[in-house]
Amino acid sequence: MLAPVAALLLSVAAATPPVFTVVVDPGHGGAQEGAISPRGLRESDLTLEIARRLGARLRRMGARVILTRTGDVTVPMANRAAIANASRADLFVSIHLNSMPTVESRRVTAGVETYFLSADATDTHASAVAARENADRLAGEPEPDPDDTVGAILASLEDAASLDASSRLAYRVHERLVAALGAGDRGVKQAPFYVLAGARMPSVLVEVGFISNEAEAERLRSKAYQEKAAAALADAIATFRQETRAARN
Ligand SMILES: [Zn+2]
């Protein structure tokens, strides 16, 4: 028999779920504007809007939420995963908007793509997306040593459990976003993103839509669409967490 106080403490511990920490990373910011829409909308502004809304929703659900930036400031790419590691986050979600290079491809390409880390890209488009996002580095931020970068990616990939969880998180996020937004389903993909390479927890990079497509960019600027995206992401994260906890029990 447990002493009454010990029994009480155990029941409280069982009834109180551990704090769940999510680091939300609004892509780009400050000097790094990211991609630009045909009418001049900046990726860095829209990712912050979506991230803020996601953060608010997760907090209302009881999560501890840390944004890698809360204003239009430059955050070195290496710092983003470091913030997640230092805060012992359970999840890392990097929010981005996609872009195509040519007039014709910008006109016809829209929809959601969700990524998790791999040393090799799924296809040439995924490789181009990673190259575009990876190119965004501070003047003065040390150019990553290619060997270090590959090493960091390989170290992340060695954590098979985390990679499997990242994959499951990516599929949850992707299916919820596509359904909620009624957006094109361009698939879950893998690519070597620096921003994900250092994160020691399940992590995904979401390309919520194509800012290079005029119609999708105009949708992405609307508060209602941003809220829909944030709600879908929060719902996916909650579902992922429930499934992860159920699998452990
Ligand atoms: Zn981006």
Side-chain angles (χ1 to χ4, degrees), residues 26-28 33-35 43-44 47 94-99 129 132-134 136 193 205-207:
H28 316 282
E33 299 179 320
E43 180 184 357
S44 57
T47 58
S94 189
I95 310 281
H96 287 261
L97 299 176
N98 226 328
S99 181
V129 170
R132 181 171 51 76
E133 302 291 10
N134 289 343
D136 183 23
F193 289 96
L205 184 146
V206 189
E207 300 277 359

Side-chain angles (χ1 to χ4, degrees), residues 25-120:
D25 175 44
H28 316 282
Q32 303 167 334
E33 299 179 320
I36 307 289
S37 85
R39 292 194 194 176
L41 297 170
R42 304 190 308 169
E43 180 184 357
S44 57
D45 293 329
L46 298 183
T47 58
L48 182 59
E49 287 296 321
I50 295 168
R52 278 183 179 147
R53 294 173 195 281
L54 172 59
R57 284 175 178 272
L58 290 169
R59 285 190 185 106
R60 288 203 291 274
M61 290 160 50
R64 171 174 169 247
V65 178
I66 295 155
L67 268 62
T68 55
R69 64 181 176 96
T70 55
D72 188 20
V73 295
T74 306
V75 181
M77 196 170 282
N79 290 18
R80 298 173 185 256
I83 290 168
N85 292 338
S87 56
R88 300 185 173 279
D90 295 286
L91 293 182
F92 178 75
V93 179
S94 189
I95 310 281
H96 287 261
L97 299 176
N98 226 328
S99 181
M100 294 297 275
T102 66
V103 171
E104 178 61 11
S105 63
R106 289 164 77 86
R107 192 177 67 74
V108 299
T109 309
V112 180
E113 294 176 356
T114 307
Y115 287 89
F116 62 103
L117 185 66
S118 170
D120 299 309

